[in-house]
């Protein structure tokens, strides 16, 4: 490798690191303060990057937000699912393990922070169609993973229970529960929502394993 | 009544109308655009009120938001509950009638607008404790009305089903479903969430009316 190439590679690596740092910093600040309330200056100061570099990678603040939402899609498995799925192979426990992860996040932040995607969904859905779609893609990635768990549960769930719609209710439970926990600054609404969802799923499992079906037979 | 008193009364009425107009206009604009994205100038122009009058009633923008949230509390019965409760006396149908009202709101706005309180919950929970509490009070008013329906359902629901927590899951379903419908600009996530909640409640009613309880007996 020539000296010129080495230097070019090192420049590329440097640029890539700067870009990563911008996305990570923006991700953190948007999560903590919301998108509108976060200033470009704040991002630059925290990332230690000058405005020229920022505009080189992200001509607008919205471009930066879209990169953040792309990053969240990449993080779904390593951050949200793998830590749970590595612990248990039972698909129903995987679903409730993922929901437990959000409870821990609420607990660790005194119910100040829940799901970053939910925040952006309500803040940005009407303001940018590109952002709205990227939010929807994040929801869809999560929902599809949960639906796979429900499909993996096979005949433990009654055949006539719609796995796709049940996966939607599970995402709904997480987002609606997080929202109320944050408003009340109290875990109870989240825990209550998940407990009732668990009761529903338990009744579905019981139904299948004999409770009702044998009775009805 | 003297002329002085008449004039004083008329001034009081005028002031009261101006205050109402400010709150109504702010309510509408915060709902459409979010709180941060709505400017004071925009509110004044739309309400046709000068800034002196605004600051007389509401020294800060947050004071105006708190008045809006107070107004939403007043509107719970006339706007959300009465139209449904006047139509049916069946407490379970009342619950699903309220949820149907939000579906109609999503439908009428092409899934652009859902629950105004949910928006403010996520936008403002970390920014002002007074606003967070007012949002929580709105949630609580809604939840308590729905819990009363569940209590009115009496022994149609199994005795061991926690009415308080089930009411929380119902609010959770509405908020989480609205959020996803807005992000996808599609009714399906809302309809799916409510349909699965209905399946859960139907199973609870069935359980009570004979399905499982007679079998287990």
């Amino acid at each position: 490798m020539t000296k010129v190439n080495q230097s070019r590679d090192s420049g590329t690596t440097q640029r890539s690191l700067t870009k990563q740092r911008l996305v990570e910093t923006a991700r953190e600040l948007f999560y903590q303060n919301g998108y509108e309330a976060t200033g470009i200056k704040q991002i630059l100061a925290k990332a230690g990057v000058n405005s020229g570099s920022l505009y080189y990678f992200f001509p607008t603040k919205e471009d930066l937000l879209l990169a953040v939402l792309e990053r969240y899609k990449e993080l779904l498995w390593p951050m949200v699912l793998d830590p749970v799925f590595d612990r248990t192979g039972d698909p129903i426990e995987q679903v409730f393990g993922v929901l437990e992860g959000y409870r821990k996040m609420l607990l660790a932040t005194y119910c100040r922070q829940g799901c970053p995607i939910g925040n952006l969904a309500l803040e940005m859905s009407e303001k940018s169609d590109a952002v709205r779609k990227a939010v929807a893609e994040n929801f869809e990635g999560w929902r599809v993973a949960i639906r796979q768990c429900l499909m993996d549960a096979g005949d433990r769930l009654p055949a006539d229970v719609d796995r796709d719609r049940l996966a939607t209710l599970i995402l709904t439970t997480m987002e609606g529960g997080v929202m109320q926990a944050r408003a009340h600054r109290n875990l109870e609404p989240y825990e209550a929502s998940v407990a009732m969802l668990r009761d529903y799923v338990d009744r579905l499992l019981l139904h299948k394993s004999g409770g009702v079906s044998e009775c009805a037979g």
Side-chain angles (χ1 to χ4, degrees), chain A:
Chain A
M1 193 184 274
T2 65
K3 274 202 173 178
V4 171
N5 273 345
Q6 276 181 335
S7 154
R8 194 180 294 151
D9 285 356
S10 143
T12 308
T13 309
Q14 191 54 47
R15 273 202 294 280
S16 163
L17 286 174
T18 301
K19 190 176 178 184
Q20 272 177 35
R21 199 156 65 242
L22 281 167
V23 172
E24 267 320 290
T25 306
R27 189 166 76 85
E28 208 172 303
L29 291 173
F30 292 163
Y31 185 36
Q32 281 166 11
N33 310 321
Y35 173 74
E36 290 284 357
T38 301
I40 287 289
K41 278 188 187 165
Q42 210 181 341
I43 298 170
L44 294 175
K46 189 158 187 194
V49 170
N50 64 46
S51 61
S53 297
L54 172 69
Y55 295 119
Y56 172 78
F57 295 116
F58 307 107
T60 68
K61 189 179 170 192
E62 186 178 310
D63 291 322
L64 183 55
L65 175 58
L66 290 171
V68 165
L69 283 163
E70 204 52 46
R71 181 72 185 135
Y72 274 121
K73 274 162 62 179
E74 291 167 8
L75 288 174
L76 174 67
W77 280 91
M79 200 167 74
V80 178
L81 304 176
D82 282 339
V84 177
F85 290 21
D86 288 349
R87 225 171 33 233
T88 174
D90 181 311
I92 299 294
E93 295 317 311
Q94 286 175 341
V95 169
F96 286 95
V98 169
L99 294 176
E100 174 62 17
Y102 289 86
R103 198 187 73 88
K104 283 188 183 141
M105 181 146 55
L106 286 167
L107 190 65
T109 63
Y110 302 96
C111 297
R112 285 166 195 272
Q113 292 186 9
C115 170
I117 308 302
N119 299 357
L120 291 166
L122 292 193
E123 188 181 352
M124 298 301 296
S125 282
E126 308 324 310
K127 285 173 198 149
S128 152
D129 217 48
V131 172
R132 180 189 64 71
K133 282 180 189 160
V135 164
E137 283 166 20
N138 271 275
F139 279 155
E140 192 55 10
W142 198 100
R143 213 184 59 80
V144 163
I146 294 297
R147 184 180 63 195
Q148 189 57 52
C149 293
L150 300 175
M151 287 160 72
D152 291 345
D155 64 5
R156 287 167 65 195
L157 290 168
D160 64 346
V161 167
D162 188 323
R163 273 72 172 159
D164 190 71
R165 296 191 122 188
L166 183 53
T168 302
L169 179 66
I170 293 166
L171 176 53
T172 287
T173 301
M174 185 276 274
E175 293 292 356
V178 162
M179 182 192 288
Q180 288 171 75
R182 289 182 58 202
H184 286 283
R185 199 67 49 88
N186 190 314
L187 275 178
E188 166 59 21
Y190 185 81
E191 291 178 339
S193 302
V194 173
M196 297 315 290
L197 176 71
R198 177 99 228 188
D199 182 63
Y200 176 34
V201 172
D202 282 347
R203 283 171 198 270
L204 293 176
L205 297 172
L206 177 74
H207 180 99
K208 187 62 202 176
S209 70
V212 174
S213 53
E214 281 178 9
C215 181

